[in-house]
Short mmCIF file of all heavy atoms in Angstrom, two decimals:
data_model
loop_
_atom_site.label_atom_id
_atom_site.label_comp_id
_atom_site.label_asym_id
_atom_site.label_seq_id
_atom_site.Cartn_x
_atom_site.Cartn_y
_atom_site.Cartn_z
N ARG A 1 -14.01 -7.23 9.99
CA ARG A 1 -12.76 -6.74 10.61
C ARG A 1 -11.56 -7.56 10.15
O ARG A 1 -10.49 -7.01 9.87
CB ARG A 1 -12.88 -6.80 12.13
CG ARG A 1 -13.76 -5.73 12.74
CD ARG A 1 -13.50 -5.62 14.24
NE ARG A 1 -13.75 -6.87 14.92
CZ ARG A 1 -14.89 -7.19 15.52
NH1 ARG A 1 -15.89 -6.35 15.53
NH2 ARG A 1 -15.02 -8.35 16.14
N GLN A 2 -11.72 -8.87 10.09
CA GLN A 2 -10.61 -9.71 9.64
C GLN A 2 -10.26 -9.43 8.19
O GLN A 2 -9.08 -9.43 7.81
CB GLN A 2 -10.97 -11.19 9.83
CG GLN A 2 -9.90 -12.18 9.42
CD GLN A 2 -8.62 -12.05 10.23
OE1 GLN A 2 -8.61 -11.44 11.30
NE2 GLN A 2 -7.53 -12.62 9.73
N SER A 3 -11.26 -9.16 7.38
CA SER A 3 -11.01 -8.81 5.98
C SER A 3 -10.29 -7.47 5.89
O SER A 3 -9.39 -7.29 5.06
CB SER A 3 -12.33 -8.74 5.21
OG SER A 3 -12.98 -9.99 5.22
N ILE A 4 -10.68 -6.53 6.74
CA ILE A 4 -10.01 -5.23 6.77
C ILE A 4 -8.54 -5.41 7.12
O ILE A 4 -7.66 -4.78 6.53
CB ILE A 4 -10.71 -4.29 7.78
CG1 ILE A 4 -12.07 -3.86 7.24
CG2 ILE A 4 -9.84 -3.06 8.08
CD1 ILE A 4 -12.89 -3.06 8.22
N LYS A 5 -8.26 -6.29 8.08
CA LYS A 5 -6.88 -6.55 8.47
C LYS A 5 -6.07 -7.07 7.29
O LYS A 5 -4.94 -6.64 7.05
CB LYS A 5 -6.85 -7.56 9.62
CG LYS A 5 -5.46 -7.85 10.16
CD LYS A 5 -5.53 -8.77 11.37
CE LYS A 5 -4.15 -9.02 11.95
NZ LYS A 5 -4.20 -9.87 13.16
N SER A 6 -6.67 -7.99 6.54
CA SER A 6 -5.99 -8.53 5.36
C SER A 6 -5.77 -7.45 4.31
O SER A 6 -4.69 -7.36 3.70
CB SER A 6 -6.82 -9.68 4.78
OG SER A 6 -6.27 -10.15 3.58
N TYR A 7 -6.77 -6.60 4.12
CA TYR A 7 -6.67 -5.53 3.13
C TYR A 7 -5.64 -4.49 3.54
O TYR A 7 -4.98 -3.89 2.69
CB TYR A 7 -8.03 -4.87 2.93
CG TYR A 7 -8.98 -5.64 2.03
CD1 TYR A 7 -8.83 -7.00 1.83
CD2 TYR A 7 -10.04 -5.01 1.39
CE1 TYR A 7 -9.70 -7.71 1.02
CE2 TYR A 7 -10.93 -5.71 0.58
CZ TYR A 7 -10.75 -7.06 0.40
OH TYR A 7 -11.60 -7.76 -0.40
N ILE A 8 -5.53 -4.23 4.86
CA ILE A 8 -4.52 -3.29 5.34
C ILE A 8 -3.12 -3.79 4.97
O ILE A 8 -2.27 -3.03 4.50
CB ILE A 8 -4.63 -3.09 6.87
CG1 ILE A 8 -5.88 -2.26 7.20
CG2 ILE A 8 -3.38 -2.39 7.42
CD1 ILE A 8 -6.14 -2.12 8.68
N LYS A 9 -2.89 -5.08 5.18
CA LYS A 9 -1.59 -5.66 4.80
C LYS A 9 -1.35 -5.48 3.30
O LYS A 9 -0.25 -5.09 2.87
CB LYS A 9 -1.55 -7.15 5.16
CG LYS A 9 -1.49 -7.45 6.64
CD LYS A 9 -1.43 -8.95 6.87
CE LYS A 9 -1.37 -9.29 8.35
NZ LYS A 9 -1.36 -10.76 8.59
N THR A 10 -2.39 -5.77 2.51
CA THR A 10 -2.26 -5.63 1.06
C THR A 10 -1.96 -4.19 0.66
O THR A 10 -1.09 -3.93 -0.18
CB THR A 10 -3.55 -6.10 0.36
OG1 THR A 10 -3.80 -7.46 0.71
CG2 THR A 10 -3.43 -5.98 -1.15
N ASP A 11 -2.66 -3.25 1.28
CA ASP A 11 -2.44 -1.84 0.96
C ASP A 11 -1.02 -1.40 1.31
O ASP A 11 -0.38 -0.67 0.54
CB ASP A 11 -3.45 -0.97 1.72
CG ASP A 11 -4.73 -0.77 0.93
OD1 ASP A 11 -4.90 -1.46 -0.09
OD2 ASP A 11 -5.56 0.07 1.31
N LEU A 12 -0.54 -1.82 2.46
CA LEU A 12 0.82 -1.43 2.86
C LEU A 12 1.86 -1.98 1.89
O LEU A 12 2.88 -1.34 1.62
CB LEU A 12 1.11 -1.90 4.28
CG LEU A 12 0.39 -1.14 5.40
CD1 LEU A 12 0.65 -1.81 6.74
CD2 LEU A 12 0.81 0.32 5.45
N LEU A 13 1.60 -3.18 1.37
CA LEU A 13 2.56 -3.82 0.48
C LEU A 13 2.47 -3.32 -0.96
O LEU A 13 3.40 -3.49 -1.74
CB LEU A 13 2.37 -5.35 0.50
CG LEU A 13 2.72 -6.05 1.82
CD1 LEU A 13 2.35 -7.53 1.76
CD2 LEU A 13 4.20 -5.88 2.14
N THR A 14 1.33 -2.71 -1.32
CA THR A 14 1.15 -2.25 -2.71
C THR A 14 1.22 -0.73 -2.84
O THR A 14 1.82 -0.21 -3.77
CB THR A 14 -0.19 -2.75 -3.28
OG1 THR A 14 -1.26 -2.32 -2.43
CG2 THR A 14 -0.20 -4.27 -3.37
N LEU A 15 0.59 -0.02 -1.90
CA LEU A 15 0.54 1.43 -2.01
C LEU A 15 1.90 2.07 -1.79
O LEU A 15 2.24 3.06 -2.45
CB LEU A 15 -0.47 2.01 -1.01
CG LEU A 15 -1.94 1.63 -1.22
CD1 LEU A 15 -2.81 2.33 -0.18
CD2 LEU A 15 -2.40 1.98 -2.62
N LEU A 16 2.68 1.52 -0.85
CA LEU A 16 3.99 2.11 -0.56
C LEU A 16 4.90 2.06 -1.79
O LEU A 16 5.46 3.09 -2.19
CB LEU A 16 4.62 1.40 0.64
CG LEU A 16 5.98 1.91 1.11
CD1 LEU A 16 5.92 3.39 1.43
CD2 LEU A 16 6.46 1.12 2.33
N PRO A 17 5.08 0.90 -2.44
CA PRO A 17 5.91 0.89 -3.66
C PRO A 17 5.33 1.77 -4.77
O PRO A 17 6.08 2.45 -5.48
CB PRO A 17 5.91 -0.59 -4.08
CG PRO A 17 5.59 -1.34 -2.83
CD PRO A 17 4.66 -0.47 -2.06
N ALA A 18 3.99 1.76 -4.91
CA ALA A 18 3.37 2.57 -5.97
C ALA A 18 3.64 4.05 -5.74
O ALA A 18 3.99 4.79 -6.68
CB ALA A 18 1.86 2.31 -6.01
N ALA A 19 3.50 4.49 -4.49
CA ALA A 19 3.75 5.91 -4.18
C ALA A 19 5.21 6.27 -4.39
O ALA A 19 5.53 7.36 -4.88
CB ALA A 19 3.32 6.20 -2.74
N LEU A 20 6.10 5.36 -4.04
CA LEU A 20 7.53 5.62 -4.23
C LEU A 20 7.89 5.72 -5.71
O LEU A 20 8.68 6.59 -6.11
CB LEU A 20 8.36 4.52 -3.55
CG LEU A 20 8.39 4.54 -2.02
CD1 LEU A 20 9.08 3.29 -1.49
CD2 LEU A 20 9.09 5.80 -1.51
N VAL A 21 7.31 4.85 -6.52
CA VAL A 21 7.57 4.90 -7.96
C VAL A 21 7.07 6.22 -8.54
O VAL A 21 7.76 6.87 -9.33
CB VAL A 21 6.90 3.70 -8.67
CG1 VAL A 21 6.92 3.89 -10.19
CG2 VAL A 21 7.62 2.41 -8.31
N LEU A 22 5.86 6.61 -8.15
CA LEU A 22 5.31 7.88 -8.63
C LEU A 22 6.19 9.06 -8.20
O LEU A 22 6.40 10.00 -8.97
CB LEU A 22 3.89 8.06 -8.10
CG LEU A 22 2.82 7.14 -8.70
CD1 LEU A 22 1.50 7.30 -7.96
CD2 LEU A 22 2.62 7.44 -10.18
N MET A 23 6.69 8.99 -6.95
CA MET A 23 7.55 10.06 -6.47
C MET A 23 8.84 10.14 -7.27
O MET A 23 9.29 11.23 -7.65
CB MET A 23 7.87 9.84 -4.99
CG MET A 23 8.71 10.95 -4.37
SD MET A 23 9.35 10.52 -2.74
CE MET A 23 10.67 9.40 -3.21
N VAL A 24 9.44 8.99 -7.54
CA VAL A 24 10.69 8.96 -8.31
C VAL A 24 10.47 9.55 -9.71
O VAL A 24 11.28 10.36 -10.18
CB VAL A 24 11.22 7.51 -8.41
CG1 VAL A 24 12.32 7.41 -9.46
CG2 VAL A 24 11.75 7.05 -7.05
N LEU A 25 9.38 9.16 -10.36
CA LEU A 25 9.10 9.68 -11.69
C LEU A 25 8.88 11.19 -11.66
O LEU A 25 9.39 11.93 -12.51
CB LEU A 25 7.86 8.99 -12.27
CG LEU A 25 8.02 7.51 -12.60
CD1 LEU A 25 6.69 6.90 -13.03
CD2 LEU A 25 9.06 7.30 -13.70
N MET A 26 8.12 11.66 -10.66
CA MET A 26 7.86 13.09 -10.54
C MET A 26 9.16 13.86 -10.32
O MET A 26 9.39 14.90 -10.95
CB MET A 26 6.88 13.34 -9.39
CG MET A 26 6.39 14.78 -9.25
SD MET A 26 7.56 15.91 -8.44
CE MET A 26 7.77 15.10 -6.86
N LEU A 27 10.01 13.36 -9.44
CA LEU A 27 11.27 14.04 -9.14
C LEU A 27 12.18 14.08 -10.37
O LEU A 27 12.82 15.11 -10.65
CB LEU A 27 11.98 13.36 -7.98
CG LEU A 27 11.33 13.51 -6.59
CD1 LEU A 27 12.02 12.61 -5.58
CD2 LEU A 27 11.36 14.96 -6.13
#
């Protein structure tokens, strides 16, 4: 569970910018 918590933080910090970059390129 503690590892999941750490990974959730990592995902929020990496996936959000990645998705935004992909969206900008697509648009």
Side-chain angles (χ1 to χ4, degrees):
R1 286 196 301 265
Q2 181 62 17
S3 299
I4 289 173
K5 183 175 182 178
S6 175
Y7 281 23
I8 287 174
K9 290 181 180 178
T10 301
D11 271 11
L12 288 174
L13 293 174
T14 56
L15 295 182
L16 182 56
L20 288 172
V21 168
L22 289 173
M23 183 192 76
V24 167
L25 292 174
M26 187 281 301
L27 290 172

